[in-house]
Amino acid sequence: MLRTPLINVMTAAAQKAARGLIRDFGEVEHLQVSKKGPADFVSTADRKAEKVLFEELQRARPKYGFLMEERGAVEGVDTSNRWIIDPLDGTTNFLHGIPQFAISIGLERDGQIFAGVVYNPITDEMFVAEKGQGAFLNGRRLRVSARRDIAESLFATGIPFVGRGNHDLFLGQLRAIMAVSAGVRRNGAASLDLAWVAAGRFEGFWEQNLQPWDMAAGMILVSEAGGFVTDLAGGRNIFQRGDIAAGNDAMHPAMVKTLAGAKAAAS
Ligand code: 2AM
Ligand code: CA
């Protein structure tokens, strides 16, 4: 179990925000008939969840700053602590009635991610980690996968879509990974992909064109579960570059190397 005061604050906020998201998710399938309906409805659900998180976290830690998907940056009196929040990660899944989405709350302290909570309200899976304390799923200690053979390893990624990302680069990367691995999954919520690496379900995950709130909480989950997290070049500029590679100690370097080769082939 991980029940530090900080984790208690973060999980309580996530659970409170989840109640609204669960209600709204139940409604969304009824709205599929109207063309304009669902997208507007989901962005309202998103904003409502963000408001709950903002209010709860601000009440618990009044001096901390915020970086949020919808409201953007809110500077705090305490400039060394900042919440990095995605109230609804996996929006496209939510919109389509697919139960793979999460509330993601990271805490950045002195420029490093110090704690993270990723909560899937539908499966009731609460992933938590705090620096030096380990990573946990519903109270059970997490450890990244022990698989060391890439041919037995399962990878997650994000596929670019209309108007977003470099499609040729991605296809080169997919070609390289699919040729050597047990498979590639595209589940649609980056925070959960990272949580699932921490849980040992995926040996590796990579994606481009992400924002800090998609990644912050998941990054500490993976590192506290004994995994490696870098940008796609193997460096530390994850937020600046907006790309990420996460995996166990064997598959992280293997994946980064394979993807680097793919990049050269595509350009
Ligand atoms: P979201 O659902 O909060 O938008 C899917 O590949 C992942 O990419 C999700 O975590 C998703 O987060 C994120 N994502 C989707 N569209 C995005 C966009 N336009 N910019 C940045 N991230 C995006
Ligand atoms: Ca997101």
Side-chain angles (χ1 to χ4, degrees):
M1 286 297 265
L2 183 54
R3 291 215 163 279
T4 67
L6 187 58
I7 293 294
N8 287 344
V9 160
M10 294 165 78
T11 56
Q15 273 160 336
K16 185 157 186 192
R19 290 203 283 273
L21 285 184
I22 291 167
R23 260 196 316 274
D24 292 337
F25 186 66
E27 289 288 313
V28 86
E29 60 182 341
H30 303 303
L31 294 165
Q32 301 295 353
V33 282
S34 78
K35 273 235 166 82
K36 176 166 174 270
D40 281 10
F41 179 81
V42 170
S43 61
T44 305
D46 205 341
R47 279 197 302 273
K48 280 191 303 190
E50 191 172 279
K51 184 165 185 282
V52 171
L53 294 170
F54 180 69
E55 288 170 358
E56 290 298 304
L57 294 170
Q58 195 166 52
R59 188 162 59 205
R61 295 288 186 277
K63 293 180 177 163
Y64 288 15
F66 287 82
L67 178 64
M68 295 168 286
E69 177 160 30
E70 305 297 329
R71 295 185 189 198
V74 176
E75 191 151 332
V77 176
D78 172 353
T79 51
S80 61
N81 284 288
R82 178 168 78 147
W83 302 111
I84 303 180
I85 296 173
D86 193 341
L88 174 53
D89 184 39
T91 314
T92 303
N93 284 342
F94 189 98
L95 185 58
H96 287 253
I98 298 169
Q100 178 78 1
F101 58 88
I103 292 165
S104 177
I105 307 171
L107 177 67
E108 186 184 62
R109 178 167 290 174
D110 300 322
Q112 293 204 345
I113 306 303
F114 183 79
V117 163
V118 175
Y119 182 50
N120 180 337
I122 304 303
T123 60
D124 194 28
E125 287 189 310
M126 179 76 79
F127 297 89
V128 308
E130 187 174 315
K131 191 149 191 102
Q133 308 281 334
F136 296 79
L137 164 55
N138 295 350
R140 186 170 52 84
R141 180 88 190 229
L142 294 180
R143 183 80 209 154
V144 292
S145 162
R147 288 195 183 84
R148 311 194 65 77
D149 181 353
I150 197 164
E152 291 176 3
S153 292
L154 187 61
F155 294 86
T157 188
I159 304 179
F161 43 89
V162 58
R164 299 285 306 179
N166 183 334
H167 294 199
D168 284 337
L169 171 62
F170 174 77
L171 288 170
Q173 294 171 338
L174 181 63
R175 179 188 297 278
I177 298 289
M178 70 198 247
V180 295
S181 71
V184 180
R185 299 288 181 268
R186 196 293 191 245
N187 288 353
S191 62
L192 284 172
D193 291 334
L194 288 163
W196 287 28
V197 170
R201 296 173 184 173
F202 295 132
E203 277 67 41
F205 165 66
W206 87 94
E207 189 164 349
Q208 281 121 162
N209 305 304
L210 291 175
Q211 300 291 335
W213 47 80
D214 301 316
M215 304 183 279
M219 286 161 57
I220 183 99
L221 289 170
V222 173
S223 55
E224 285 296 320
F228 290 1
V229 185
T230 65
D231 61 41
L232 270 187
R236 292 151 151 252
N237 303 315
I238 296 173
F239 290 172
Q240 295 88 321
R241 291 169 51 106
D243 57 32
I244 190 163
N248 70 19
D249 64 324
M251 284 312 111
H252 175 277
M255 182 178 72
V256 167
K257 192 170 164 218
T258 305
L259 293 173
K263 189 174 181 189
S267 56

